[in-house]
């Protein structure tokens, strides 16, 4: 695998995107593809840059963690947007929630 990529992953992503678009309604398809594509890109970038510990499937645990965290973040953003129907409100909530969690845990650690 040190040489040129085989293109298998790209084919699988394209096939999954086509299936999702055929099977599901447009809103669900867009949400699932947004989560998959952002999380997969984050996993690839973080796994290549910071991947030190290998998982049994050959991927890095750091990439797996990045996929989970970014996937949950993207899913939360999509769901918030679907409920709020406003980009500005979604952005405000997506910024304020992590800040409040970090401040809360920092205060708990300080006490």
């Amino acid at each position: 695998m040190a040489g040129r990529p085989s293109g298998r992953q790209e084919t699988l992503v394209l096939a999954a995107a086509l299936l999702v678009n055929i099977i599901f309604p447009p809103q669900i398809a867009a949400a699932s593809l947004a989560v998959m594509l952002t999380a997969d890109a984050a996993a690839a970038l973080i796994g290549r840059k910071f991947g030190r510990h290998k998982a049994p499937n050959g991927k890095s645990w750091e990439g797996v963690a990045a996929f989970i965290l970014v996937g949950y973040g993207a899913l939360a953003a999509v769901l918030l947007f679907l409920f709020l129907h406003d980009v500005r409100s979604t952005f405000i909530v997506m910024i304020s929630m992590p800040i409040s969690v970090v401040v809360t845990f920092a205060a708990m650690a300080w006490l």
Side-chain angles (χ1 to χ4, degrees):
M1 296 263 310
R4 196 170 142 201
S6 66
R8 182 169 184 253
Q9 291 85 7
E10 293 84 4
T11 306
L12 291 175
V13 169
L14 180 62
L18 289 174
L19 273 174
V20 165
N21 280 316
I22 290 171
I23 294 173
F24 295 104
Q27 289 177 331
I28 294 174
S32 63
L33 289 175
V35 170
M36 180 190 69
L37 294 175
T38 55
D40 191 49
L45 292 173
I46 298 296
R48 287 183 185 159
K49 179 81 173 165
F50 302 106
R52 304 272 188 274
H53 307 92
K54 295 295 179 188
N57 63 355
K59 307 287 184 179
S60 70
W61 285 112
E62 293 82 2
V64 171
F67 185 93
I68 292 170
L69 290 175
V70 172
Y72 281 142
L75 181 62
V78 168
L79 290 176
L80 276 171
F81 180 73
L82 288 176
F83 282 109
L84 297 176
H85 298 290
D86 183 32
V87 174
R88 185 172 182 260
S89 299
T90 302
F91 183 73
I92 290 170
V93 172
M94 289 301 296
I95 295 299
S96 64
M97 290 300 288
I99 291 172
S100 66
V101 169
V102 168
V103 169
T104 301
F105 280 106
M108 287 171 39
W110 183 64
L111 296 175

